[in-house]
Amino acid sequence: MKKQIYEIYWIRAIACLSVVFIHSLTRTYTHYDVPESTVQLLQTIQILLMFATPMFILISEIISSKVYPDSLPKSFFKKRFQFLLLPYLLTPFLYGLYHLIIKNASIEKVKGNILDDIFLGAWHGYFIVIILQFMFIHWIYIKWFKNISAWVMLSLTFAINTGYLYVANYQTEWLPQVMQEWLPFVRMPFIGWIFYFTVAYYVGRYLAELKENRKWAFPLSVAATGITGYLMVKIFTSGTYTLLSSVRLDIMFYTVSLFFALFYLFSFIPKVPRVIMFISKYSFQIFLLHYLSFNLINLVLPEMNIKWYALSLFLSGVLGSILLARIINILPFGKYIVGPIRSKKRVS
């Protein structure tokens, strides 16, 4: 059995819960008539949780780099096609069925939404496209870039990533017209995430060495997280730049700092609680299905206090997605729709 990366279970669970919480807050302040000050407060919380999607990219490549540092097995791309690409293509049909059967939407509208989701990345599963790109780039790294200095690769990809995010955020007129008109086309190209990937690639390769530095690296990463998080919130709340998205330049600095802070923090904890293992096990399915769980729970929720509504959405997004995943995985082909349920003994 491959050696476990126990810190990953914690970080994966936190990222997963953060995604659900972000979207439950959005549903809440759009469902209720709340003061603008309350909306700003909730959005400030959301901006602090926007590390979630890029954190999944970091996690994915750390595992690939740790498990496959020099070569890939023959089944590598086949499994990624089966359990990443197929869920990306098939999960939108579940949402389509909900709108067709429950909401009585027309077949034409449902068909249009499904096609938009698949070909335009118009749904939250767009991150799968990013990870699939990096599966191929991982192969390129171990084939041609393995012997290049880490500092050279980190510096180069930092410059590329920073340049792209600067343009995407502040000079959008430099982008092709289709990217200016459709946000998913801005967030899906790998160059918008290449620095995350490169950091993760070297974390996976030098995991043991990084842990040896935790006595001084942990407080440094905590300080970096505090500084970058403060500046990000300051920029957001001041109105200087109010895009509520993970495709922000300041999110990159914040997320990488936070990753190391969490990684070093959990490296001091020798045992992973069962609840963390459980959430980590279903993280992919929770990510895919939590919006569907929101939709279903909304059908039966009575009128309630806004706080209880937000909590109900959050819990349904987590627990409801797990239940749906288990039901779907009963089907012989269910694992190709929402991915197989992760074994506790595996790290990926």
Side-chain angles (χ1 to χ4, degrees):
M1 180 172 40
K2 297 180 177 73
K3 186 177 180 182
Q4 305 292 286
I5 310 174
Y6 292 107
E7 297 84 359
I8 292 299
Y9 292 117
W10 287 95
I11 298 173
R12 184 190 280 132
I14 290 171
C16 172
L17 295 177
S18 296
V19 167
V20 179
F21 193 52
I22 289 169
H23 295 154
S24 66
L25 288 181
T26 301
R27 283 286 182 102
T28 299
Y29 63 68
T30 54
H31 182 78
Y32 286 83
D33 184 16
V34 296
E36 185 61 33
S37 58
T38 302
V39 173
Q40 186 177 49
L41 173 62
L42 296 179
Q43 289 184 338
T44 302
I45 296 171
Q46 287 179 306
I47 200 70
L48 284 168
L49 299 176
M50 284 293 166
F51 65 83
T53 296
M55 198 71 80
F56 275 110
I57 295 169
L58 286 164
I59 291 168
S60 176
E61 177 52 24
I62 288 169
I63 294 169
S64 294
S65 181
K66 177 65 175 176
V67 178
Y68 311 114
D70 300 306
S71 63
L72 301 178
K74 291 181 180 180
S75 62
F76 182 82
F77 290 110
K78 179 183 177 182
K79 287 184 177 180
R80 271 63 189 176
F81 169 81
Q82 291 176 327
F83 302 133
L84 285 176
L85 181 58
L86 286 182
Y88 175 80
L89 297 175
L90 297 177
T91 300
F93 285 89
L94 295 179
Y95 287 89
L97 284 174
Y98 165 81
H99 287 287
L100 185 67
I101 297 171
I102 305 298
K103 306 299 287 186
N104 295 316
S106 67
I107 293 178
E108 290 76 16
K109 181 175 177 57
V110 169
K111 179 181 176 182
N113 289 340
I114 291 172
L115 291 176
D116 285 349
D117 287 347
I118 293 173
F119 293 105
L120 302 180
W123 68 298
H124 55 283
Y126 74 89
F127 90 102
I128 296 175
V129 176
I130 301 167
I131 290 177
L132 286 169
Q133 292 174 78
F134 284 133
M135 296 297 99
F136 180 72
I137 293 173
H138 177 74
W139 173 74
I140 293 176
Y141 267 52
I142 62 176
K143 189 172 180 66
W144 284 297
F145 297 157
K146 184 170 61 176
N147 296 322
I148 298 178
S149 166
W151 290 111
V152 170
M153 293 300 296
L154 287 167
S155 299
L156 178 62
T157 55
F158 175 78
I160 293 171
N161 210 149
T162 301
Y164 179 80
L165 290 178
Y166 173 77
V167 171
N169 285 273
Y170 302 108
Q171 301 292 342
T172 53
E173 68 275 8
W174 295 358
L175 295 170
Q177 190 64 33
V178 67
M179 296 177 78
Q180 294 181 37
E181 296 174 354
W182 193 245
L183 176 62
F185 287 153
V186 175
R187 65 192 183 188
M188 287 198 294
F190 71 90
I191 57 174
W193 314 87
I194 190 65
F195 181 65
Y196 295 105
F197 172 87
T198 307
V199 169
Y201 173 78
Y202 289 111
V203 168
R205 291 187 71 88
Y206 301 111
L207 201 65
E209 292 89 333
L210 285 170
K211 285 188 180 182
E212 291 175 359
N213 299 327
R214 63 187 180 182
K215 287 186 178 180
W216 62 266
F218 176 54
L220 183 64
S221 61
V222 170
T225 302
I227 293 169
T228 55
Y230 171 79
L231 292 174
M232 180 181 65
V233 169
K234 195 73 174 175
I235 291 169
F236 183 76
T237 56
S238 68
T240 304
Y241 193 66
T242 57
L243 177 67
L244 194 61
S245 168
S246 57
V247 192
R248 290 174 57 113
L249 182 56
D250 47 13
I251 289 287
M252 184 176 74
F253 297 95
Y254 171 65
T255 300
V256 173
S257 300
L258 179 61
F259 166 78
F260 282 107
L262 294 175
F263 173 78
Y264 285 121
L265 171 63
F266 296 126
S267 71
F268 290 106
I269 303 175
K271 187 176 180 180
V272 183
R274 287 186 179 181
V275 65
I276 298 299
M277 296 285 286
F278 183 75
I279 294 170
S280 181
K281 175 181 177 179
Y282 286 95
S283 59
F284 185 62
Q285 288 77 23
I286 293 171
F287 199 110
L288 292 182
L289 299 174
H290 68 278
Y291 266 117
L292 184 56
S293 296
F294 289 168
N295 293 340
L296 293 173
I297 197 67
N298 263 324
L299 298 174
V300 298
L301 280 181
E303 289 296 323
M304 60 179 67
N305 179 277
I306 185 173
K307 295 177 183 178
W308 286 110
Y309 180 79
L311 179 61
S312 297
L313 281 186
F314 175 73
L315 292 176
S316 71
V318 177
L319 301 178
S321 299
I322 292 170
L323 178 60
L324 286 172
R326 291 183 68 90
I327 293 171
I328 294 169
N329 263 267
I330 293 173
L331 302 172
F333 51 86
K335 62 184 179 181
Y336 301 116
I337 300 176
V338 296
I341 296 174
R342 194 185 308 274
S343 167
K344 289 184 180 180
K345 294 183 179 180
R346 295 177 57 194
V347 297
S348 61

